[in-house]
Amino acid sequence: MAAPESDLARLIERRVTLIHRLDLITKGAQITYDDGAPVDMASEKARLEAEVTRLDRKILALQPPAGRA
């Protein structure tokens, strides 16, 4: 059962990273592509929010049922 636990930990870490990035966007962070072109931050925010939602579903599916941890 080590694999599902490591998968769960990896997904949770990924989710924390995405939440941090969303927080930075909310605080006004601006990022650019390698060529200097600005990234559309509204689109990036929407993409990150969708990814967090997807991760939430995966994390929930990997968690053991209540009382069986």
Side-chain angles (χ1 to χ4, degrees):
M1 242 204 193
E5 289 175 15
S6 65
D7 287 345
L8 181 59
R10 182 182 55 79
L11 292 174
I12 291 170
E13 288 174 13
R14 174 82 174 131
R15 184 182 185 279
V16 168
T17 299
L18 294 179
I19 294 293
H20 178 70
R21 289 180 181 173
L22 281 168
D23 184 53
L24 291 173
I25 289 171
T26 301
K27 291 177 179 176
Q30 295 290 314
I31 56 176
T32 58
Y33 294 104
D34 290 340
D35 66 358
V39 171
D40 176 11
M41 297 310 286
S43 295
E44 182 66 3
K45 182 178 182 222
R47 184 187 73 77
L48 293 175
E49 288 170 339
E51 182 66 9
V52 167
T53 300
R54 186 186 72 79
L55 288 173
D56 285 344
R57 286 191 303 267
K58 289 183 83 169
I59 290 167
L60 185 61
L62 287 174
Q63 289 180 336
R68 293 182 56 194

